[in-house]
Amino acid sequence: MTKTLHLINKAPQHSSALDECLGLILSDPQAHTLMLIEDGVYAALGQADTNQHFLQGLQQSKLPAYVLMEDLEARGISDKVSGVFSLVDYTGFVDLTLKFSKVQSWA
Amino acid sequence: MTKTLHLINKAPQHSSALDECLGLILSDPQAHTLMLIEDGVYAALGQADTNQHFLQGLQQSKLPAYVLMEDLEARGISDKVSGVFSLVDYTGFVDLTLKFSKVQSWA
Amino acid sequence: MTAKKQKILVIIRQAPYSSVLPEAALDIVLTAAAFEQEVSLLFFSQGVLHLLAQESTDSSAMKNISRALPSLELYEVNNILLDREALQANALQEDELLLPAKLLNPVEISAAIAAADQVFNC
Amino acid sequence: MTAKKQKILVIIRQAPYSSVLPEAALDIVLTAAAFEQEVSLLFFSQGVLHLLAQESTDSSAMKNISRALPSLELYEVNNILLDREALQANALQEDELLLPAKLLNPVEISAAIAAADQVFNC
Amino acid sequence: MQSFTLVIYASPQSPSSMTALNFARALLASGHSLYRLFFYQDGVYNACSFQVPPQDEIDLPAAWQALVQEHEIDAVVCVASALKRGIVDTAEAERYELAAANLREGFVISGLGQLIDATLNSDRTLNFLP
Amino acid sequence: MQSFTLVIYASPQSPSSMTALNFARALLASGHSLYRLFFYQDGVYNACSFQVPPQDEIDLPAAWQALVQEHEIDAVVCVASALKRGIVDTAEAERYELAAANLREGFVISGLGQLIDATLNSDRTLNFLP
């Protein structure tokens, strides 16, 4: 058994990736971790209507979840992020990929 | 006042375009018409779970709705289309664009 | 170039850095204005997020169109419209936006589309 | 090229003609098989729609990967997996599919991901 | 008879370029005319002459070129989009000291003003989005 | 110290190419190494030498090239993806009778086998999807 870091790079408005990813991994928070990058960071907007269902699921599951700081800053939303997420910069992103056996990207 | 043909070319799994478009036009079926092309034709799958809500709304609104035959055939799904839609080929598509004052594309 | 005049509605409905379309839309707005067309710009759905001040762009290769928004006035693009529902859905406040804009509900947006001769919905 | 062997899981989750990714995924499968890796192919979510027979492709510039699916056997790619929930969500029947495949539920798919050394999710 | 302008936003690898080509063929077959084709953003790749597509795939740039030349269509490639993506005509190849031009014969490079002109002077303008 | 392979699927106009570049810079800064960069699908446009980007925008192909040359990175461009999109090296330009090559110095064209080899021989393989 290996541990997997899942990368999501699309907003919920542009891809069912986040939904589909969580459908597979929420039940097994030991083996999986979520990270949002690029447009995917919009899913971390704590007050956005579309995110409420997913943020609740994430909180209940205790699945670790990260979001890329640089992509939040570029979009001007770093002060609006849900507390469920840990913020990492690119160096932290590199470190994170090494804590898992593999990285799976979703688009 | 002009009449508008709305073109949707993405499946509901890849874009909120269909949702957003219908949110604007369902209330005014006299001024707007819907046409699905490319990946958008998957929204016409009559039995797909994700389409039920939208197909119901379409039926109730009496908004005219078309789907491009060639794109259904290429995907092997022409026998699975909801009865809410009229099928048109490329020639019909050209004719349709001339029945409206303008065409608005959604991606 | 003819001296005809059209009502052109340009809609930005994609979020910042999500695709090249917002930049493509803004370039159409500026060109249409330069050719003295009657142009309106609507920030719709996730497009409203362009009106947030962005902190840095060094880590992104894509153009930050927010920086170009103030130049809209120079081009005499004064009809800036905003999707009120999208603002609410994203819990954004009017006073944190980069530009003043006219807030529209869905029926008003639908009317703006109906009133236009040509719509670019990028 | 080394003689090492890895478990490679390739996932096709986009519908036919929606993007170049399904074709990209299939090419990875065939190459991994040619290099004698232990490769599995999972049709997930909208990817299950590739298993419908398609009527014509003259009007599309994109490659119809369904036509290449029978060649998977020649490459000894025998571990073909299918997302059972997606089949149901699209109201597809097993007997209308182009290929026989092993139907998996979400827990089994999750296990297949966990068991792989490398995942290409296109 | 009506006149159309088609705006192509996507690369030959995207289904929307093929939709635009099929639509162009159908409108001409119905006796209508093309006022202009405008290649914008990734759409400019449809006007590149360097592609070598596999034999079992449609060569979309060649198909566009055949249509443009047969019907003498005004096929405009947006200059800003093209330069950014490395599609250049002879004049630009010289100006920027590139080894060669790679714009297909039959296409011309011009500005976005040609798009605004087209919406004014054709009966219908359709956008084929990526 | 660990070794990475990055697979770049998107054009320079897509945010994911920039993410890949930022990630590459960060991993090198942390003392890790790049076993290989593999440019696949639209990612091959990152290896084109003809682009003339506007002065106020990042020149991503030039930035990749600088990284590749400074760190002597194995930067492989998928041959099938490249030919289809009109990115050719000198040998291919000759074979297909094109006016010039437009592959940037520092990049090499090769097959998809180089991607499989990379997943076997590097510690982590990351896919930067479009």
Side-chain angles (χ1 to χ4, degrees):
Chain A
M1 285 295 280
T2 61
K3 290 190 68 176
T4 308
L5 178 65
H6 294 265
L7 289 185
I8 304 274
N9 77 348
K10 294 277 181 306
Q13 285 82 3
H14 281 102
S15 171
S16 49
L18 181 59
D19 253 6
E20 294 175 13
C21 175
L22 291 179
L24 294 181
I25 72 178
L26 272 189
S27 60
D28 195 359
Q30 306 305 315
H32 302 281
T33 287
L34 179 70
M35 176 158 181
L36 306 179
I37 61 171
E38 297 163 21
D39 232 25
V41 303
Y42 285 116
L45 278 176
Q47 299 300 316
D49 289 351
T50 43
N51 296 342
Q52 295 317 307
H53 175 76
F54 130 76
L55 291 173
Q56 231 173 345
L58 207 54
Q59 200 142 29
Q60 286 166 1
S61 74
K62 308 225 182 300
L63 187 95
Y66 297 85
V67 58
L68 187 60
M69 211 163 63
E70 281 88 343
D71 284 340
L72 289 172
E73 286 172 357
R75 288 161 182 77
I77 57 171
S78 30
D79 58 339
K80 299 178 190 296
V81 171
S82 155
V84 177
F85 291 91
S86 307
L87 273 59
V88 291
D89 61 9
Y90 270 102
T91 308
F93 183 10
V94 170
D95 291 347
L96 206 53
T97 64
L98 293 169
K99 289 200 184 116
F100 296 83
S101 335
K102 63 178 177 292
V103 181
Q104 174 171 347
S105 296
W106 296 73
Chain B
M1 284 294 282
T2 62
K3 291 190 66 175
T4 310
L5 177 65
H6 295 265
L7 290 184
I8 304 275
N9 76 349
K10 293 276 181 308
Q13 285 81 6
H14 281 102
S15 171
S16 50
L18 181 60
D19 253 6
E20 294 174 14
C21 175
L22 291 178
L24 295 181
I25 72 176
L26 272 189
S27 61
D28 195 359
Q30 306 303 318
H32 301 282
T33 288
L34 180 69
M35 177 156 179
L36 307 178
I37 62 172
E38 297 162 21
D39 232 25
V41 304
Y42 285 116
L45 276 177
Q47 300 298 317
D49 290 353
T50 43
N51 295 341
Q52 295 316 308
H53 176 73
F54 131 74
L55 291 173
Q56 232 173 345
L58 207 54
Q59 198 144 29
Q60 285 164 3
S61 74
K62 309 229 183 298
L63 187 95
Y66 297 86
V67 58
L68 186 59
M69 210 164 61
E70 281 87 342
D71 284 341
L72 289 172
E73 286 172 357
R75 289 159 181 79
I77 57 171
S78 30
D79 58 339
K80 299 176 190 298
V81 171
S82 154
V84 176
F85 291 91
S86 307
L87 273 59
V88 290
D89 60 11
Y90 270 101
T91 307
F93 182 11
V94 171
D95 292 346
L96 207 53
T97 64
L98 293 169
K99 290 201 184 117
F100 296 83
S101 336
K102 63 179 177 291
V103 181
Q104 174 171 348
S105 296
W106 297 74
Chain C
M1 180 70 53
T2 137
K4 280 190 252 176
K5 207 160 178 161
Q6 280 200 325
K7 286 189 186 166
I8 297 180
L9 172 64
V10 179
I11 305 178
I12 292 182
R13 55 175 286 278
Q14 315 270 2
Y17 306 113
S18 60
S19 94
V20 294
L21 290 177
E23 188 192 337
L26 190 68
D27 287 345
I28 292 173
V29 168
L30 298 179
T31 308
F35 284 97
E36 301 192 334
Q37 301 302 301
E38 198 180 325
V39 56
S40 304
L41 174 59
L42 165 65
F43 293 92
F44 182 64
S45 179
Q46 295 297 95
V48 302
L49 295 159
H50 286 277
L51 295 174
L52 290 176
Q54 289 152 30
E55 293 162 45
S56 82
T57 53
D58 291 353
S59 68
S60 174
M62 301 181 86
K63 213 166 173 172
N64 179 350
I65 75 160
S66 302
R67 291 196 185 166
L69 294 182
S71 65
L72 287 172
E73 234 178 52
L74 297 178
Y75 282 82
E76 297 186 13
V77 179
N78 300 312
N79 204 19
I80 313 277
L81 313 170
L82 199 53
D83 175 357
R84 184 194 302 270
E85 285 194 351
L87 218 57
Q88 289 163 349
N90 285 292
L92 304 184
Q93 309 301 323
E94 260 194 274
D95 62 12
E96 60 181 328
L97 305 183
L98 287 172
L99 276 185
K102 206 181 300 171
L103 270 62
L104 302 187
N105 59 37
V107 171
E108 292 166 315
I109 292 172
S110 201
I113 290 173
D117 296 307
Q118 179 67 41
V119 179
F120 290 99
N121 183 25
C122 300
Chain D
M1 181 71 52
T2 134
K4 279 191 254 176
K5 207 159 176 161
Q6 279 201 326
K7 284 188 188 170
I8 297 181
L9 172 65
V10 179
I11 304 178
I12 292 183
R13 56 175 284 278
Q14 315 269 3
Y17 306 113
S18 59
S19 93
V20 294
L21 290 177
E23 188 191 335
L26 190 67
D27 287 344
I28 292 174
V29 168
L30 298 180
T31 309
F35 284 97
E36 299 191 336
Q37 300 302 303
E38 197 180 323
V39 56
S40 305
L41 174 58
L42 165 65
F43 293 91
F44 182 63
S45 180
Q46 294 298 92
V48 301
L49 294 160
H50 287 277
L51 295 175
L52 290 176
Q54 288 152 31
E55 294 162 46
S56 82
T57 52
D58 291 354
S59 68
S60 172
M62 302 182 85
K63 213 167 171 171
N64 179 350
I65 74 160
S66 301
R67 291 195 185 166
L69 294 183
S71 65
L72 286 171
E73 234 178 53
L74 297 178
Y75 283 82
E76 295 185 14
V77 179
N78 300 311
N79 204 18
I80 314 279
L81 312 170
L82 200 53
D83 175 356
R84 185 196 301 270
E85 285 192 351
L87 217 56
Q88 289 162 351
N90 285 292
L92 304 184
Q93 309 302 323
E94 261 194 273
D95 61 12
E96 60 182 327
L97 305 182
L98 287 171
L99 276 186
K102 206 183 295 173
L103 270 63
L104 304 187
N105 59 37
V107 172
E108 292 166 316
I109 292 172
S110 201
I113 291 173
D117 296 307
Q118 178 68 39
V119 179
F120 291 99
N121 183 24
C122 302
Chain E
M1 174 173 146
Q2 303 280 301
S3 68
F4 285 82
T5 291
L6 310 188
V7 193
I8 294 99
Y9 289 74
S11 83
Q13 276 73 45
S14 162
S16 90
S17 292
M18 188 69 204
T19 306
L21 178 66
N22 287 332
F23 190 90
R25 287 171 170 166
L27 76 89
L28 293 169
S30 294
H32 303 297
S33 69
L34 271 167
Y35 179 78
R36 183 166 293 150
L37 294 170
F38 191 85
F39 295 89
Y40 195 31
Q41 302 297 332
D42 279 357
V44 303
Y45 290 126
N46 285 286
C48 176
S49 64
F50 274 24
Q51 293 101 334
V52 186
Q55 297 214 329
D56 60 342
E57 287 179 34
I58 296 171
D59 184 344
L60 211 50
W64 277 119
Q65 184 178 34
L67 191 84
V68 163
Q69 294 185 329
E70 185 189 339
H71 297 272
E72 296 181 359
I73 300 163
D74 187 22
V76 175
V77 176
C78 169
V79 59
S81 304
L83 280 177
K84 212 183 271 196
R85 289 169 180 79
I87 313 289
V88 290
D89 61 15
T90 315
E92 283 157 352
E94 266 178 42
R95 182 173 325 135
Y96 297 106
E97 297 178 5
L98 302 173
N102 60 354
L103 182 75
R104 265 178 196 265
E105 222 174 292
F107 296 83
V108 292
I109 288 189
S110 188
L112 206 45
Q114 296 294 313
L115 172 59
I116 303 302
D117 167 79
T119 66
L120 285 168
N121 292 306
S122 50
D123 297 306
R124 289 291 174 282
T125 299
L126 265 76
N127 293 281
F128 293 88
L129 297 178
Chain F
M1 173 173 147
Q2 302 280 300
S3 69
F4 285 82
T5 290
L6 310 187
V7 193
I8 294 98
Y9 289 73
S11 83
Q13 277 73 44
S14 164
S16 90
S17 292
M18 190 68 204
T19 306
L21 178 67
N22 286 332
F23 189 91
R25 287 170 170 164
L27 77 88
L28 292 168
S30 292
H32 303 297
S33 69
L34 269 168
Y35 178 77
R36 181 167 294 149
L37 294 170
F38 191 85
F39 294 89
Y40 194 30
Q41 303 295 333
D42 279 358
V44 302
Y45 290 125
N46 286 285
C48 176
S49 63
F50 273 24
Q51 293 101 334
V52 186
Q55 297 213 330
D56 60 342
E57 287 179 34
I58 296 171
D59 185 344
L60 210 50
W64 277 119
Q65 184 178 36
L67 191 83
V68 163
Q69 292 183 331
E70 185 188 340
H71 297 273
E72 297 180 359
I73 299 164
D74 187 22
V76 175
V77 176
C78 170
V79 60
S81 303
L83 281 177
K84 212 184 273 197
R85 289 169 180 79
I87 313 289
V88 289
D89 61 14
T90 315
E92 283 156 352
E94 265 179 44
R95 181 172 327 135
Y96 297 105
E97 298 178 3
L98 302 173
N102 60 353
L103 182 75
R104 265 177 196 266
E105 222 174 295
F107 296 83
V108 292
I109 289 189
S110 189
L112 205 45
Q114 296 293 313
L115 172 58
I116 304 302
D117 166 78
T119 66
L120 284 168
N121 291 308
S122 50
D123 296 307
R124 289 292 175 282
T125 299
L126 266 74
N127 293 282
F128 292 88
L129 297 178

